[in-house]
Amino acid sequence: MEPIQKIAVIGAGTMGHGIAETFATHGYPVTVFDPYPQMREKAKTSIEADLELMAEMGQLRSSDINPILARIQFSTNLDTAVRDADFVIEAIPENIDLKRKLIAELDQCCAPGTILASNTSSLDLTDMIAEIGEERCKDCMICHWYNPAHLVPLVELSHFGNMPEKTLSRVEDLLSKCEKKTIRVLKNLPGLIANRIQQGIAREVFALIEAGAASAEDIDDALKYGPAFRYATTGQLEITDFGGIDIWCAVGDNLLPEISAAQEASPLLREKIADNKLGVKTGEGFFRYDEEHSKDALREFHRRLIRQLATIHKT
């Protein structure tokens, strides 16, 4: 089958603009549909700032920025945005009714064979495609990127049985050309793979904070300089093999009865929400951020990711 050439992204928000930026950086023309002028302008500003930081850190040439920006077109008309696309990915809010309605509209707007993807990690694919025909369902998938989309290599792809192997392979080939690491998710599970792993870690981190086991700074450092330091180069299963399966079994028997088994989000999170301490967006979460510091903190986080990404590409 022909390789994917033309791409449309629905939604210019946090994920959508990063996805569009990735494709454009790797030479693909992208049309971004968003009906809200403020979202389109914010996306343009964010993409340009991202590219300037990449150039500052030697991952792009400054002369590459304008050609990349020129490959991204913004549209206020859904039909026009997707009419000639080979691959359409939506990144609208996580609302099943909105996504189901959008996919039904895309079914009408897109040519036969156009691949329709959703960036969701929490909603059910079967529910999203419930209102379209069986033939179109074969071209539908979950294609979940991690934030920030232009820097984190992982993309999770649904492989639940509705999509032919040759179609999935076209998407894998596209993402490989964009230097993404794809995994196939074989079971239709809420959260797919990576978010489920992340929530397992987060549950215990929040429980440790609630228990007063250590300061927020020290708990984050325990993760960054311990498990996460290893996770940057390998996964849990290989770590288990290196450490010894018998050892991991014994430690699990000893510790698992003692760690959090909470079945809902931490009460500590709900307390912070009630106090409007939502993190960087409100100036305080587990840490404090003034307006200038919040921008610097996010930019420094991106710098760390860029350095890490450069290391991965060298290997």
Side-chain angles (χ1 to χ4, degrees), residues 227-239 242:
F229 184 80
R230 297 192 302 195
Y231 290 151
T233 62
T234 190
Q236 180 59 54
L237 300 179
E238 190 172 53
I239 287 171
F242 290 158

Side-chain angles (χ1 to χ4, degrees), residues 178-195:
C178 293
E179 300 182 278
K180 292 299 182 182
K181 175 61 179 178
T182 59
I183 68 165
R184 294 185 176 194
V185 182
L186 306 180
K187 296 290 184 180
N188 192 1
L189 299 171
L192 305 178
I193 303 301
N195 273 345

Side-chain angles (χ1 to χ4, degrees), residues 17-91:
H17 88 259
I19 292 170
E21 178 184 336
T22 300
F23 287 128
T25 298
H26 291 84
Y28 292 92
V30 186
T31 302
V32 180
F33 167 78
D34 198 297
Y36 301 105
Q38 66 272 27
M39 293 302 296
R40 296 194 300 272
E41 289 307 311
K42 185 177 179 181
K44 293 174 185 177
T45 300
S46 296
I47 291 170
E48 190 162 358
D50 289 343
L51 295 174
E52 287 173 353
L53 182 58
M54 295 285 281
E56 175 191 316
M57 298 196 65
Q59 299 304 299
L60 288 175
R61 295 172 300 186
S62 296
S63 59
D64 292 332
I65 293 177
N66 284 337
I68 292 170
L69 293 173
R71 285 193 283 271
I72 304 174
Q73 303 297 315
F74 288 84
S75 175
T76 58
N77 184 288
L78 181 64
D79 181 69
T80 302
V82 304
R83 185 181 301 152
D84 297 325
D86 304 312
F87 180 80
V88 179
I89 180 166
E90 67 81 15

Side-chain angles (χ1 to χ4, degrees), residues 162-201:
N162 64 299
M163 177 174 280
E165 176 73 24
K166 61 184 180 181
T167 306
L168 181 61
S169 294
R170 290 179 72 203
V171 178
E172 289 175 326
D173 181 62
L174 168 69
L175 293 169
S176 175
K177 290 174 180 175
C178 293
E179 300 182 278
K180 292 299 182 182
K181 175 61 179 178
T182 59
I183 68 165
R184 294 185 176 194
V185 182
L186 306 180
K187 296 290 184 180
N188 192 1
L189 299 171
L192 305 178
I193 303 301
N195 273 345
R196 292 173 74 100
I197 295 169
Q198 183 172 251
Q199 281 297 316
I201 295 170

Side-chain angles (χ1 to χ4, degrees), residues 201-243:
I201 295 170
R203 177 169 62 182
E204 187 59 23
V205 165
F206 299 143
L208 289 167
I209 286 282
E210 286 180 55
S215 69
E217 291 85 354
D218 282 350
I219 288 174
D220 264 6
D221 281 348
L223 182 57
K224 286 191 290 187
Y225 297 103
F229 184 80
R230 297 192 302 195
Y231 290 151
T233 62
T234 190
Q236 180 59 54
L237 300 179
E238 190 172 53
I239 287 171
T240 304
D241 280 350
F242 290 158

